[in-house]
Amino acid sequence: MATLFQGVGAVTPFSASSSLDSNKLLLPSRKSLSISDSRGSIFVYRSDALNLKAATRKQDLLIPNAVATKGETSTSAKSGHELLLFEALREGLEEEMERDPRVCVMGEDVGHYGGSYKVTKGLAEKYGDLRVLDTPIAENSFTGMGIGAAMTGLRPIVEGMNMGFLLLAFNQISNNCGMLHYTSGGQFTIPIVIRGPGGVGRQLGAEHSQRLESYFQSIPGIQMVACSTPYNAKGLMKAAIRSENPVILFEHVLLYNLKERIPDEEYVLSLEEAEMVRPGEHVTILTYSRMRYHVMQAAKTLVNKGYDPEVIDIRSLKPFDLYTIGCSVKKTHRVLIVEECMRTGGIGASLTAAITENFHDYLDAPIVCLSSQDVPTPYAGTLEEWTVVQPAQIVSAVEQLCQ
């Protein structure tokens, strides 16, 4: 339980970085990896330890008319239809409900109201109140009900109106959702999807702007993915519903209105694969969710400065796609991790430990990790911005890393 409390907002905003036990990390079963028993030193630099004085003058570092970055193409087909991210989630959910009558949805206001972000809009009218079930404001109860439904053969999707509210269901997610397959000796599978909005919004306050990825990452038996585009939102939603494992799908509250053209034909993505966003040669930048767009904004400036960054959206937060990550590290020999999760015990700390233990000999420089500050997210817009990594900091970090 120590790792769970480690991610709680600290009293002081500048705490030392920490490493997690790499034995807790799940490795992708589809790839074979050579893992060394020896443990190397873990290099995690604080974002504030870098020379980031220019971060307050972002216009000095960012070039608004930068050239297009190499390989910056959409993952979607040229033909298809345009959807916002929340619409892509709904389309994937609706297709799975149409395909499999065992798929059902439950949560607060998911029925005729259509969900707080309209991901389930129109589904109650189409499939009825039993398959799209409005629940009381009782996260612990309806999450447990969803787990019980999964044990009896259904494939429930539990929506948390806000990921912060799912802390009220942490006992169900940890002691039941993650463990019942094991403690029942394989008699039960728990094919449940737990999803909802999270991340730092815009002046939503501390309780509604939490980054909870690291909280759930330390629970054995659970897979975690984070969507960042309409294309991968739909593909990951369909994959999560079809999985026999419990899956937590993280959606960012500020990405719901992101628009993209996605294919008309059906597709399902892997829950264990990262996405190569931009091939490059000089440095590997690992990121996910909203920070993908901060990284790509910084990448345009970096290209104009003569750098060639490789950007990978890790997508799978548990297990990590160490095959894709390792191939990139062996090519660039430098790693920058950019996340919105907390500094202490965050995704970046786990990822740093995994890279150090598996690919230490390929690194020509210490791993640099840019994370959010270890403080509750302030309500004031200016202070809120200061707690989250900005593109100017990414540019500065790459420049120092490549010196």
Side-chain angles (χ1 to χ4, degrees):
M1 294 298 292
T3 57
L4 303 182
F5 296 113
Q6 201 176 33
V8 180
V11 176
T12 170
F14 303 121
S15 58
S17 58
S18 63
S19 62
L20 297 182
D21 186 354
S22 64
N23 293 328
K24 295 179 181 178
L25 300 177
L26 301 178
L27 299 180
S29 57
R30 59 188 179 83
K31 307 292 183 183
S32 61
L33 294 171
S34 175
I35 301 178
S36 172
D37 291 332
S38 60
R39 294 171 178 258
S41 300
I42 299 174
F43 302 99
V44 182
Y45 282 9
R46 291 197 44 81
S47 60
D48 52 89
L50 299 170
N51 182 18
L52 301 178
K53 295 180 180 179
T56 58
R57 309 187 310 276
K58 287 181 284 186
Q59 66 275 15
D60 295 340
L61 279 176
L62 300 181
I63 303 173
N65 297 320
V67 299
T69 55
K70 181 177 70 174
E72 187 180 352
T73 58
S74 174
T75 54
S76 60
K78 292 182 180 179
S79 61
H81 54 290
E82 282 194 342
L83 288 178
L84 301 174
L85 191 142
F86 79 89
E87 295 172 328
L89 288 167
R90 183 200 305 150
E91 187 172 272
L93 176 55
E94 187 171 3
E95 287 179 7
E96 292 305 301
M97 293 186 74
E98 184 73 27
R99 187 187 68 87
D100 189 344
R102 298 174 297 170
V103 178
C104 56
V105 182
M106 59 186 69
E108 299 151 348
D109 288 336
V110 299
H112 295 278
Y113 183 72
S116 56
Y117 290 91
K118 303 306 177 185
V119 173
T120 57
K121 183 180 180 181
L123 298 182
E125 289 78 7
K126 184 174 182 180
Y127 295 105
D129 294 340
L130 289 180
R131 289 189 68 188
V132 186
L133 180 64
D134 274 323
T135 65
I137 305 175
E139 286 78 9
N140 192 53
S141 298
F142 69 72
T143 302
M145 182 172 63
I147 295 169
M151 294 172 65
T152 62
L154 297 180
R155 308 187 82 85
I157 296 96
V158 173
E159 176 181 309
M161 184 180 290
N162 182 281
M163 276 298 188
F165 302 158
L166 288 178
L167 291 177
L168 298 168
F170 198 89
N171 175 66
Q172 294 284 5
I173 297 171
S174 177
N175 286 329
N176 294 324
C177 184
M179 297 185 186
L180 275 171
H181 179 68
Y182 172 78
T183 55
S184 69
Q187 296 180 74
F188 295 111
T189 57
I190 316 295
I192 187 174
V193 179
I194 300 173
R195 52 153 296 269
V200 177
R202 287 204 173 94
Q203 294 188 269
L204 297 179
E207 292 187 3
H208 292 73
S209 293
Q210 298 198 67
R211 298 85 69 199
L212 301 178
E213 302 94 301
S214 61
Y215 285 52
F216 297 106
Q217 186 194 37
S218 52
I219 301 175
I222 286 179
Q223 285 187 274
M224 300 197 321
V225 289
C227 60
S228 55
T229 68
Y231 178 83
N232 65 40
K234 179 181 177 180
L236 292 174
M237 170 69 86
K238 291 172 70 70
I241 294 173
R242 297 186 188 189
S243 175
E244 294 299 322
N245 299 317
V247 179
I248 300 180
L249 174 60
F250 287 95
E251 304 154 15
H252 199 287
V253 66
L254 293 182
L255 298 183
Y256 278 127
N257 288 325
L258 186 70
K259 181 178 287 188
E260 184 183 24
R261 185 174 297 277
I262 67 174
D264 292 327
E265 62 272 11
E266 184 182 42
Y267 65 93
V268 180
L269 299 179
S270 171
L271 294 175
E272 298 183 4
E273 287 186 1
E275 177 188 348
M276 178 65 67
V277 181
R278 182 195 187 278
E281 299 290 337
H282 293 162
V283 60
T284 297
I285 304 181
L286 304 175
T287 188
Y288 64 93
S289 191
R290 179 196 174 200
M291 286 296 107
R292 168 175 174 157
Y293 298 95
H294 282 209
V295 168
M296 292 309 294
Q297 183 180 349
K300 293 182 178 181
T301 301
L302 289 167
V303 168
N304 280 270
K305 288 175 173 283
Y307 298 98
D308 187 18
E310 179 155 293
V311 180
I312 296 176
D313 183 344
I314 62 174
R315 285 197 313 207
S316 176
L317 306 184
K318 185 180 181 180
F320 294 133
D321 181 0
L322 291 182
Y323 179 82
T324 300
I325 294 170
C327 289
S328 180
V329 172
K330 292 175 183 179
K331 177 173 63 173
T332 66
H333 308 292
R334 291 174 173 81
V335 177
L336 171 65
I337 301 171
V338 182
E339 63 175 344
E340 198 177 84
C341 198
M342 289 81 63
R343 156 78 37 196
T344 304
I347 298 295
S350 298
L351 192 53
T352 299
I355 294 171
T356 301
E357 291 178 357
N358 291 284
F359 312 110
H360 179 266
D361 290 344
Y362 296 96
L363 294 172
D364 289 343
I367 297 172
V368 177
C369 184
L370 301 181
S371 309
S372 294
Q373 300 298 330
D374 280 338
V375 295
T377 305
Y379 174 78
T382 303
L383 294 177
E384 179 185 73
E385 184 176 313
W386 272 94
T387 66
V388 179
V389 179
Q390 299 300 324
Q393 294 174 276
I394 302 169
V395 172
S396 180
V398 170
E399 289 178 327
Q400 295 187 42
L401 187 58
C402 292
Q403 284 179 354

